[in-house]
Amino acid sequence: MNQSATASKPILSGLMRYRVMAWLAGIGLLLLCLDMYLRYVQDMTTVLDLVPRVHGFVYMLYLVTVFDLSFRMKWPLSKGVLVCLAGTVPFVSFVAEHRITGQVRAELGQS
């Protein structure tokens, strides 16, 4: 294994953690929106009542993985904050994950 591949291994592992958490946070946010709709519009209680607590925990882990990746990639603080905010808008975390993955792989010279 060459030195650049060895140096990129921690970045790739950080990227994988970020990707997993971006998907979990995005799915959790969609479930949270569904829960809020059912709770406040339809006045129903469902098994989704646990979703807000779980989503809050997952989002905190998402923030940790974003900052981990941003430090590894030496991003400006503004980029890290924007990626963090991507997890607060339904569907945007999926778009951000796709773009960030492409950018990181391009910077590392991977396809």
Side-chain angles (χ1 to χ4, degrees):
M1 192 180 290
N2 64 25
Q3 196 163 27
S4 66
T6 305
S8 67
K9 192 171 183 178
I11 293 173
L12 289 174
S13 65
L15 177 63
M16 182 55 68
R17 286 189 297 274
Y18 160 72
R19 292 182 72 194
V20 168
M21 292 312 301
W23 275 89
L24 289 176
I27 291 168
L29 184 58
L30 292 175
L31 288 174
L32 180 65
C33 291
L34 177 61
D35 178 53
M36 295 295 114
Y37 171 78
L38 292 174
R39 182 180 300 178
Y40 297 113
V41 176
Q42 298 295 324
D43 198 27
M44 295 173 58
T45 56
T46 66
V47 297
L48 294 176
D49 288 341
L50 187 62
V51 168
R53 288 184 207 105
V54 173
H55 173 68
F57 180 72
V58 168
Y59 185 71
M60 287 188 283
L61 292 176
Y62 169 77
L63 294 177
V64 169
T65 61
V66 169
F67 280 114
D68 174 58
L69 183 61
S70 69
F71 289 130
R72 291 176 192 270
M73 292 298 297
K74 297 178 176 54
W75 290 342
L77 181 62
S78 59
K79 183 174 182 174
V81 169
L82 286 175
V83 176
C84 286
L85 290 174
T88 64
V89 181
F91 298 106
V92 175
S93 68
F94 304 122
V95 174
E97 179 273 326
H98 181 73
R99 289 186 179 171
I100 293 298
T101 299
Q103 289 173 5
V104 169
R105 287 184 174 163
E107 284 186 43
L108 295 176
Q110 296 182 345
S111 55

